[in-house]
Amino acid sequence: MRHTLNAALVGYGFAGKTFHAPFLSTTPGLSLSWVVSRDAAKVQADLPGCRVGSLEQVLSDDSVDLLVIATPNDTHAPLARQALLAGKHVVIDKPFALDLAEAQALVELAEKQQRLLSIFHNRRWDGDFLTVRRLLAAGAMGQIAQFESHFDRYRPEVRQRWREAGGPGSGLWFDLGPHLLDQALQLFGQPDWLQADLAEQRPGALADDYFHVVLGYGALRVILHGSCLVSVTMPRFIVHGSQGSFVKFGMDGQEDQLKLGKRPPAADWGVDGEPGQLSRMVDGQLQQQSVVGEAGDYGAYYRGVCAAIKGEGSNPVPASEALAVMALLDLARESHQQGARLACQKLS
């Protein structure tokens, strides 16, 4: 295995430009050698010297080790299939397919081809999530009774883009739901049941722009919520337990840093400037303390991918693991359509 792996990025829209290209360009052991895009001038303005071409050119280039797919959701699985059949390792932006059956077929193909298939669930490395994970592991709130994860925005106007066009793979649930589901699964594992409410609330909306999904774990309730019509600052996380509560405002700042052109290892990379608040009963008295957040680190994902391809580490987000997210995405749509609480089935 060469010391440096050559990567090709398919798609240079928001996701490709903001979340993938910066790390493909800066991760030790990775080199971004190709971009598949219809806008060569845009790519080369950002990435001087990077080749811009067609998917066919990339797949026929034996020097390309890794194909990263950052295109509209309905193209993820077909592109990944082509790449795996061409002998490439593959990273796919979430969600990696349109439904569970399509996702399972990709996992089987990757195993047959003996190639890495990894899903870009980058928000496992959000600083606020890492902080919550640390507090839960330490038992800071005792036995958890209620966990809320909010991803709210104020975007009252429907935009002219594929995510809101109403086609396969569009809508807020498919956009943000995978992030929140993956984080919940990381913290609590597979739920017993799920109940979902999806809605199109904005005038002219063609795809869901609101979701409220409840996961049941015995007595624990995990609430996942997202909306495009929230104009006030809401907590990102709310956690209530037998010994206290934790509330965290503010979003992880890495996306904003990437939009501004910052790159790791900037001195302030991923630093959380808004501490969370932990409230606990100590000797019969309510005590509150600020909790300084962990630093976020999206770069950990591509460092992990690089190590896994070289046989020096494990896949940071194996597609077989991400199947659980796909199953719950499907189940939520079914729950919404039936207006019912549905049992979650264990994946074989």
Side-chain angles (χ1 to χ4, degrees), residues 309-320:
I309 293 174
K310 292 181 177 182
E312 300 169 355
S314 59
N315 187 340
V317 188
S320 57

Side-chain angles (χ1 to χ4, degrees), residues 22 36 42 117 174 183 185 215 218 233 262 290 294 302 317:
V36 176
K42 175 184 175 183
L117 178 60
F174 249 59
Q183 290 182 339
L185 288 167
L215 309 178
T233 301
K262 289 189 175 183
S290 293
E294 300 284 330
Y302 273 113
V317 188

Side-chain angles (χ1 to χ4, degrees), residues 14 17-19 22 153 155 253-263 269:
F14 175 73
K17 174 184 171 71
T18 306
F19 289 107
R153 299 165 165 173
R155 295 179 178 174
Q254 291 175 91
E255 179 175 340
D256 287 339
Q257 288 182 311
L258 289 165
K259 289 177 182 177
L260 293 171
K262 289 189 175 183
R263 300 290 180 265
W269 185 263

Side-chain angles (χ1 to χ4, degrees), residues 13-320:
F14 175 73
K17 174 184 171 71
T18 306
F19 289 107
H20 294 280
F23 297 104
L24 292 170
S25 302
T26 60
T27 299
L30 275 178
S31 173
L32 180 55
S33 57
W34 281 98
V35 173
V36 176
S37 172
R38 292 190 294 267
D39 193 342
K42 175 184 175 183
V43 175
Q44 291 170 345
D46 294 339
L47 305 165
C50 184
R51 287 176 288 180
V52 182
S54 67
L55 180 64
E56 291 71 23
Q57 287 176 294
V58 168
L59 294 182
S60 63
D61 185 346
D62 291 338
S63 72
V64 172
D65 304 290
L66 171 67
L67 196 80
V68 177
I69 298 170
T71 53
N73 292 341
D74 60 342
T75 67
H76 286 180
L79 290 173
R81 179 175 176 80
Q82 291 184 64
L84 289 168
L85 289 172
K88 310 301 183 186
H89 301 287
V90 178
V91 164
I92 315 177
D93 212 324
K94 57 75 206 166
F96 73 108
L98 290 180
D99 56 39
L100 180 60
E102 192 175 54
Q104 288 174 320
L106 277 184
V107 171
E108 292 171 5
L109 179 60
E111 291 173 350
K112 179 181 178 181
Q113 294 295 103
Q114 296 184 327
R115 288 295 180 266
L116 176 136
L117 178 60
S118 188
I119 312 308
F120 189 63
H121 280 300
N122 61 305
R123 291 194 178 273
R124 290 188 184 187
W125 292 274
D126 274 359
D128 46 20
F129 173 71
L130 293 173
T131 303
V132 169
R133 189 170 198 167
R134 183 191 77 202
L135 291 173
L136 291 178
M141 287 82 70
Q143 184 69 33
I144 304 304
Q146 181 174 325
F147 178 93
E148 296 187 31
S149 178
H150 288 249
F151 213 132
D152 296 314
R153 299 165 165 173
Y154 186 59
R155 295 179 178 174
E157 303 294 332
V158 176
R159 299 181 181 183
Q160 297 297 314
R161 58 178 193 155
W162 67 263
R163 295 182 190 277
E164 302 183 49
S170 65
L172 196 67
W173 175 237
F174 249 59
D175 185 19
L176 301 182
H179 287 314
L180 304 191
L181 284 171
D182 184 65
Q183 290 182 339
L185 288 167
Q186 287 293 296
L187 295 176
F188 304 110
Q190 181 81 356
D192 302 319
W193 55 264
L194 173 154
Q195 187 158 12
D197 179 27
L198 312 178
E200 299 166 9
Q201 294 188 326
R202 295 173 299 172
L206 300 173
D208 60 83
D209 52 16
Y210 166 95
F211 62 82
H212 188 88
V213 177
V214 181
L215 309 178
Y217 297 81
L220 166 65
R221 296 295 180 265
V222 171
I223 298 165
L224 311 179
H225 185 91
S227 172
C228 289
L229 289 175
V230 178
S231 60
V232 297
T233 301
M234 297 290 289
R236 172 68 180 90
F237 289 108
I238 303 170
V239 189
H240 300 303
S242 60
Q243 296 178 19
S245 297
F246 178 72
V247 178
K248 175 66 175 73
F249 285 85
M251 295 293 296
D252 177 273
Q254 291 175 91
E255 179 175 340
D256 287 339
Q257 288 182 311
L258 289 165
K259 289 177 182 177
L260 293 171
K262 289 189 175 183
R263 300 290 180 265
D268 63 344
W269 185 263
V271 172
D272 188 346
E274 192 166 356
Q277 296 297 314
L278 178 63
S279 300
R280 302 185 68 193
M281 291 298 294
V282 179
D283 297 328
Q285 298 293 319
L286 181 64
Q287 295 186 359
Q288 294 185 327
Q289 67 180 88
S290 293
V291 177
V292 176
E294 300 284 330
D297 183 15
Y298 291 163
Y301 175 79
Y302 273 113
R303 294 196 299 273
V305 165
C306 189
I309 293 174
K310 292 181 177 182
E312 300 169 355
S314 59
N315 187 340
V317 188
S320 57

